[in-house]
Amino acid sequence: MATERYNARDTEARWQKKWEDNNVFTTDNDDPRDKYYVLEMFPYPSGRIHMGHVRNYAMGDVVARYKRSTGYNVLHPMGWDAFGMPAENAAMEKKVHPKGWTYENIATMRGQLKSMGLSLDWNREFATCDVDYYAQQQRLFLDFLEAGLIYRKKSKVNWDPVDMTVLANEQVIDGKGWRSGATVEQRELTQWFFKISDYSQDLLDAIDTLDKWPEKVRLMQKNWIGRSEGLKVFFEFVEAAPTGDTALEIFTTRPDTLFGASFLGLSPDHPITAKLAETNEELQDFIAKCRQIGTTAEAIETAEKLGFDTGLRVKHPLDPSWELPVYVANFILMDYGTGAIFACPAHDQRDLDFAHKYDLPVKAVVLPEGEDAATFNVADEAYTGEGTIFNSDFMNGMSIADAKEAVSAKLESQSVNGAPQGAREVNFRLRDWGISRQRYWGCPIPIIHCDDCGPQPAPRESLPVQLPDDVTFDRPGNPLDRHPTWRNTCCPKCGKDALRETDTMDTFVDSSWYFARFTDPKNANPTDPKAANEWLPVDQYIGGIEHAILHLLYSRFFTRAMQKTGHLGLSEPFKGLFTQGMVNHETYKASSNNRWVAPAEIKIEELDGVRKATLLETGEDVVIGSIEKMSKSKKNVVDPTDIIETYGADTARWFVLSDSPPERDIIWTEDGVLGAWRHVQRVYRIINEIAEKTASGVEKPAEFGDDALALRRVTHKTLAAVAKDYDSLGFNRAVARLYEFTNAVSKALQADLSKADVVFALREAADSMMSMMEPITPHLAEECWSILGNETLISQTAWPQIEEDLLVENTIVLPIQINGKKKGELTIARDASKEDIEAAILQHEVVVKALDGNAPRKVIVVPQRIVNVVV
Ligand code: ANZ
Ligand code: ZN
């Protein structure tokens, strides 16, 4: 009898409703079972979900469903990272309100996620723009402020003079604002900072404990924190600087190269530079030019080296008769070290480029192994490797490390103007985190500015400081600034009229603690520490590599800050981290006008082994291009909803988890999707056939014939292997095994179905197959599970018991005698040695019980025959 085709559309909706009606995925904090927290990075509600989301959430869902089936109380929540610029851009462009736009997008995307059949606890859902959420964030802000973790300082920002807004570094493209195209200026603004640098060393040290993180991410975090051990050194001015300073303090990590010094460099923002500029117009122009480069370290690093000779001279600390010029140089940052350097062109590329440009000496002091001191010479490339120190007086012949030690000790014991000339110092690249944004759609910073009392924390009883709804986006700038009344309030200290802070928080703040909020999302405090400590750290966090640095670092800082302020009892938020690869697709261009066209707009045919693409509408030729990350700009996107509506969510889930290892990119192809869809259909047919041809509820026979035993072996081995795959996030391996297993089950249908042992084995295989498929294709699994006559939900069914005996290759069963009487059986490899058997027997429960802690008097092993233990 031909079975009807599997109708994913109807079936999926039916099971989703059943799960929802029965609260199958609701998680109870009081459930006494062991807890497991799996979390995927929550989405930004941009409008619609994309395939990257599908892949990310499918992976998390497999983990959640699998862990649930192995007896854990699983927390698998979902929310929305909902504040940010795109909502304001939409407001400006489409005349919609950011709030309406955001919540509408959330509604759409929630529907899309639900259509994927994700096993989420939707009762815990929140958006970071919910007043409830950001009210708690304001509480955290006040607690951090009180704990000394937040301060205010002036700092430079990228200012877009047309949009009248501060731009993030990524929004500055070639020195121009990304939206307005205006030349970006540097402005000094007073901003709020989180003191992440208090934790630099701790954040670095703890990376070593994160052994379930990808090595790559750990390294990126280490580099970002950037610990440098070095020396601060005073260079005495020949004549005092106009600031009155008699010596210039620099920071170096290479004091071993001091004899290769060529000049000193000051940051354009150094106080001495500023003082000199007061009376020097040329220098003022130079500084202005430097500022156009932008504020990023990368921009500064790659820009052409520019310098300005100040005319100031300093004495070399190891040879007072040696004078060196002092330049202002555009590659020196004010907020690192001391904002001043000594330059050794032979061993630092930036210094070398600079020296070439301004015709300054280049003297090598590190000799690479195998080079001759008489002929070694640095031309266009600085030598930064290992070697032996030469041309360097008392350091000659030393290794770099020994020379560093020797010169540091020497300069520490020397003094200038009564202070030590050198002092060892550790510096970190990690800067404090500036969180002020001059935007509307973010969490208001709960501060009130009073002319008399200065900035005051908003009283806790007055929280939340709520965003006003009546704002306009018809002009650039921050709508909160020009709101007629919102700013006006009174000083909590003196009661005088005062103004609210109109800056809102960087949206990275919102995502730095959402994982903690999920553990008790409706609590009147930011967390219930008990619940949070029980759930956290997140056992498995899954997301994109693009968040490998900032988001993870900020979350690690927040967890520490929340620990300090009593909201959490731990310092590391994410125990396991997994970064998934991207979803890629071929690109297409219409040949006539070279514009990108979408996969849905074209048709591909194969003629004599050559793929030929044409536009569906006009039949025009289309050029097939390279395979790239799905992106709107190249139009090489496939809409998940189209796929789900055509083939079903299970097909999409199966496909995104199938072809590549999850950490690698996957190429989305129509053929691949069809393959997945055909597999879904095939499984459905096979299960129906089993259900029709065999009786359910057959009792387990005492003996199994060869056919049945062979199938049972495959079933249990596959169960064990797939369990391992899921535990190690090897989704593609599990898929490959399930394809094979499906073949084995299909073949077993040819066996003699009148035999009870075969029927039992076949039913067992079919049930097990559903247990293994449920994490990936949950709707199909529920449907088949019910067709097989089960009345429970597979989503709530435990992973099958694996019979270890069936995993052992080529085993025999030996009777166990205790004092000559048969008491049990031992299953062991046929070729096990006498010693192996003896070792196994002493661990067998029957023997352990009989011995009752005593040593056996005698163990007699007759390999292949019998074991007798005398107690
Ligand atoms: C002399 C020298 C010789 C240096 C040499 C390097 C190589 P990290 O490793 O990042 O800590 N430096 C110090 N302060 C700076 C600033 N504010 N802006 C730009 N560069 C600065 O780098 C430390 C090195 O970067 C320091 O060691 C200094 O140059 C430079 F063969 O001193 B070095
Ligand atoms: Zn006041």
Side-chain angles (χ1 to χ4, degrees):
M1 179 191 118
T3 320
E4 266 183 61
R5 226 174 63 162
Y6 176 65
N7 182 333
R9 241 186 119 108
D10 296 352
T11 312
E12 291 184 349
R14 184 155 38 80
W15 289 111
Q16 284 162 16
K17 180 161 189 308
K18 183 116 183 173
W19 295 328
E20 196 163 330
D21 291 349
N22 290 287
N23 285 318
V24 173
F25 306 121
T26 307
T27 305
D28 179 1
N29 280 356
D30 297 326
D31 188 318
R33 292 174 301 163
D34 283 350
K35 293 183 162 43
Y36 191 92
Y37 187 176
V38 52
L39 182 67
E40 299 96 66
M41 292 179 183
F42 66 164
Y44 177 77
S46 56
R48 301 183 67 75
I49 64 166
H50 53 67
M51 274 312 167
H53 292 129
V54 172
R55 195 171 186 214
N56 189 189
Y57 301 139
M59 287 179 192
D61 202 42
V62 172
V63 175
R65 287 174 176 273
Y66 169 68
K67 284 291 173 186
R68 229 177 258 120
S69 78
T70 59
Y72 285 94
N73 182 28
V74 171
L75 178 57
H76 186 212
M78 182 55 74
W80 310 95
D81 189 11
F83 274 137
M85 274 297 287
E88 283 187 61
N89 293 340
M92 287 182 267
E93 280 155 22
K94 300 184 194 139
K95 314 267 173 280
V96 289
H97 195 284
K99 189 173 175 178
W101 182 85
T102 304
Y103 281 104
E104 264 172 42
N105 288 347
I106 289 175
T108 307
M109 291 172 74
R110 185 192 297 115
Q112 289 184 294
L113 290 186
K114 287 196 169 175
S115 76
M116 278 184 68
L118 302 171
S119 65
L120 292 162
D121 182 355
W122 285 103
N123 294 322
R124 295 182 189 240
E125 177 193 3
F126 60 77
T128 55
C129 63
D130 291 349
V131 178
D132 268 356
Y133 184 79
Y134 71 72
Q136 300 301 338
Q137 190 160 300
Q138 292 173 341
R139 289 208 166 85
L140 288 177
F141 182 96
L142 295 181
D143 288 350
F144 291 3
L145 185 69
E146 223 166 75
L149 290 167
I150 299 181
Y151 66 101
R152 226 173 152 231
K153 75 168 178 197
K154 275 197 169 175
S155 98
K156 282 204 288 181
V157 293
N158 304 305
W159 180 258
D160 184 322
V162 171
D163 271 358
M164 295 198 347
T165 184
V166 170
L167 298 178
N169 287 332
E170 314 76 74
Q171 295 172 329
V172 182
I173 296 155
D174 294 334
K176 306 224 170 4
W178 68 294
R179 269 169 57 85
S180 70
T183 301
V184 170
E185 297 167 6
Q186 304 261 305
R187 278 214 182 167
E188 285 233 312
L189 285 187
T190 308
Q191 313 225 70
W192 292 97
F193 283 82
F194 284 1
K195 258 191 179 168
I196 190 168
S197 64
D198 266 12
Y199 295 94
S200 300
Q201 188 66 53
D202 186 40
L203 287 165
L204 181 69
D205 290 342
I207 292 173
D208 289 335
T209 67
L210 301 173
D211 55 357
K212 289 189 175 156
W213 281 38
E215 188 48 42
K216 182 166 134 198
V217 175
R218 290 164 44 160
L219 193 66
M220 285 161 88
Q221 295 254 318
K222 277 188 189 168
N223 290 339
W224 190 264
I225 296 169
R227 185 181 196 272
S228 290
E229 283 178 20
L231 197 69
K232 276 180 159 178
V233 183
F234 280 108
F235 282 68
E236 211 180 332
F237 282 114
V238 174
E239 270 172 56
T243 47
D245 290 297
T246 54
L248 175 61
E249 191 176 30
I250 62 95
F251 173 72
T252 177
T253 49
R254 295 295 305 274
D256 54 299
T257 64
L258 259 173
F259 282 103
S262 167
F263 62 95
L264 275 81
L266 294 175
S267 162
D269 299 306
H270 196 282
I272 295 178
T273 312
K275 187 77 196 168
L276 287 168
E278 282 175 12
T279 54
N280 187 332
E281 237 172 78
E282 223 185 311
L283 181 53
Q284 282 165 24
D285 292 346
F286 177 78
I287 295 169
K289 207 162 149 196
C290 294
R291 292 206 171 139
Q292 279 170 9
I293 303 173
T295 56
T296 68
E298 296 89 298
I300 290 167
E301 196 77 20
T302 50
E304 192 198 346
K305 305 288 167 282
L306 296 176
F308 184 94
D309 187 352
T310 61
L312 296 172
R313 296 290 177 268
V314 292
K315 294 179 194 167
H316 195 286
L318 298 167
D319 177 359
S321 68
W322 179 1
E323 291 186 3
L324 297 158
V326 180
Y327 279 76
V328 177
N330 64 344
F331 63 90
I332 303 170
L333 311 163
M334 191 55 223
D335 63 353
Y336 188 72
T338 64
I341 63 155
F342 93 79
C344 175
H347 303 295
D348 183 290
Q349 193 60 44
R350 296 168 302 180
D351 299 350
L352 185 63
D353 296 344
F354 192 94
H356 282 328
K357 180 146 181 188
Y358 297 102
D359 223 0
L360 293 156
V362 180
K363 175 181 163 194
V365 290
V366 181
L367 188 65
E369 205 183 299
E371 288 282 351
D372 182 347
T375 55
F376 178 63
N377 149 38
V378 169
D380 288 337
E381 203 180 317
Y383 179 69
T384 57
E386 281 299 324
T388 311
I389 306 293
F390 74 129
N391 287 339
S392 296
D393 191 18
F394 66 94
M395 286 184 273
N396 285 341
M398 291 183 187
S399 68
I400 292 176
D402 289 347
K404 277 184 182 170
E405 182 53 42
V407 70
S408 300
K410 188 168 169 71
L411 293 178
E412 274 171 337
S413 66
Q414 264 174 226
S415 65
V416 249
N417 309 326
Q421 186 141 29
R424 285 177 226 237
E425 194 182 65
V426 172
N427 266 315
F428 292 91
R429 213 181 81 96
L430 183 61
R431 299 279 82 115
D432 279 336
W433 174 16
I435 59 130
S436 300
R437 296 290 179 272
Q438 294 66 41
R439 311 270 14 143
Y440 163 74
W441 195 232
C443 170
I445 295 175
I447 291 286
I448 294 165
H449 296 277
C450 169
D451 282 344
D452 293 347
C453 315
Q456 297 295 318
R460 283 168 200 270
E461 338 55 273
S462 73
L463 296 186
V465 178
Q466 226 170 305
L467 286 172
D469 285 338
D470 52 338
V471 281
T472 53
F473 293 90
D474 49 348
R475 273 172 295 158
N478 180 357
L480 291 177
D481 274 338
R482 54 173 187 261
H483 190 282
T485 54
W486 185 79
R487 297 188 73 172
N488 303 328
T489 183
C490 53
C491 171
K493 200 164 161 196
C494 72
K496 264 184 50 177
D497 284 354
L499 293 175
R500 287 194 187 286
E501 170 81 54
T502 55
D503 285 354
T504 54
M505 296 184 208
D506 178 3
T507 57
F508 269 117
V509 177
D510 313 338
S511 53
S512 291
W513 71 285
Y514 76 109
F515 49 87
R517 185 69 184 161
F518 276 139
T519 64
D520 193 1
K522 308 216 164 65
N523 202 289
N525 292 305
T527 64
D528 165 15
K530 181 174 171 289
N533 295 341
E534 278 172 7
W535 281 115
L536 292 170
V538 173
D539 292 282
Q540 186 62 61
Y541 196 33
I542 308 179
I545 188 79
E546 68 277 16
H547 293 301
I549 299 181
L550 292 185
H551 163 60
L552 294 174
L553 199 61
Y554 292 154
S555 300
R556 297 180 64 214
F557 160 70
F558 242 78
T559 306
R560 284 161 171 79
M562 287 174 77
Q563 181 179 33
K564 186 170 182 187
T565 49
H567 297 287
L568 289 178
L570 74 167
S571 55
E572 284 297 336
F574 310 121
K575 186 167 162 200
L577 172 72
F578 188 82
T579 53
Q580 93 271 1
M582 292 181 301
V583 183
N584 298 342
H585 197 286
E586 262 180 354
T587 48
Y588 309 106
K589 268 185 177 180
S591 55
S592 63
N593 53 10
N594 223 24
R595 78 186 156 83
W596 299 108
V597 290
E601 295 175 87
I602 63 158
K603 164 176 94 183
I604 296 185
E605 289 159 310
E606 209 169 297
L607 295 171
D608 305 326
V610 182
R611 293 168 71 235
K612 189 176 170 315
T614 44
L615 263 187
L616 279 174
E617 206 173 318
T618 61
E620 183 189 320
D621 277 355
V622 168
V623 181
I624 300 180
S626 56
I627 293 166
E628 294 183 42
K629 178 191 169 175
M630 281 191 184
S631 75
K632 275 189 197 148
S633 62
K634 296 202 169 118
K635 278 195 159 190
N636 60 337
V637 289
V638 175
D639 187 333
T641 295
D642 289 349
I643 298 297
I644 291 171
E645 280 176 2
T646 315
Y647 301 102
D650 286 341
T651 293
R653 294 170 58 125
W654 180 267
F655 176 59
V656 285
L657 296 176
S658 61
D659 273 0
S660 333
E663 66 279 11
R664 294 247 270 296
D665 290 358
I666 183 170
I667 304 170
W668 184 280
T669 64
E670 186 78 10
D671 282 353
V673 179
L674 276 172
W677 181 80
R678 276 194 297 266
H679 184 67
V680 167
Q681 297 294 335
R682 180 169 185 229
V683 168
Y684 182 72
R685 274 195 312 273
I686 292 172
I687 295 298
N688 272 288
E689 204 177 331
I690 293 174
E692 281 159 20
K693 292 187 178 164
T694 67
S696 64
V698 183
E699 256 186 60
K700 187 176 178 181
E703 308 253 314
F704 287 94
D706 286 348
D707 280 355
L709 195 59
L711 180 58
R712 293 202 73 214
R713 283 227 161 90
V714 176
T715 302
H716 285 261
K717 275 187 193 157
T718 308
L719 276 171
V722 169
K724 236 177 164 177
D725 293 336
Y726 287 158
D727 266 324
S728 59
L729 312 183
F731 312 113
N732 61 316
R733 288 195 303 268
V735 166
R737 266 186 245 285
L738 283 165
Y739 272 126
E740 261 179 51
F741 186 57
T742 310
N743 290 339
V745 174
S746 167
K747 219 170 100 193
L749 263 168
Q750 313 304 315
D752 182 353
L753 298 182
S754 67
K755 289 189 186 162
D757 64 337
V758 171
V759 169
F760 177 88
L762 197 54
R763 282 278 173 170
E764 180 187 49
D767 281 350
S768 300
M769 187 153 124
M770 291 314 113
S771 291
M772 291 186 273
M773 293 198 64
E774 182 263 341
I776 302 183
T777 56
H779 314 88
L780 174 70
E782 289 289 8
E783 185 72 8
C784 292
W785 184 250
S786 120
I787 289 169
L788 287 165
N790 298 293
E791 271 156 24
T792 52
L793 289 170
I794 186 78
S795 301
Q796 290 179 309
T797 301
W799 191 259
Q801 275 289 325
I802 295 169
E803 293 181 25
E804 301 288 332
D805 294 0
L806 295 167
L807 306 181
V808 184
E809 207 67 73
N810 207 0
T811 55
I812 50 165
V813 179
L814 297 180
I816 302 172
Q817 292 189 343
I818 307 245
N819 296 338
K821 276 206 189 107
K822 184 178 169 196
K823 288 286 162 115
E825 282 176 349
L826 172 72
T827 305
I828 196 156
R830 192 174 291 279
D831 57 1
S833 68
K834 230 171 144 167
E835 290 73 29
D836 287 346
I837 297 172
E838 216 174 299
I841 201 76
L842 291 176
Q843 284 175 19
H844 195 285
E845 52 170 331
V846 169
V847 178
V848 170
K849 205 170 145 213
L851 286 173
D852 196 20
N854 300 309
R857 278 208 240 147
K858 207 170 185 183
V859 181
I860 305 151
V861 176
V862 186
Q864 316 266 332
R865 296 255 337 262
I866 202 163
V867 193
N868 190 12
V869 182
V870 184
V871 299

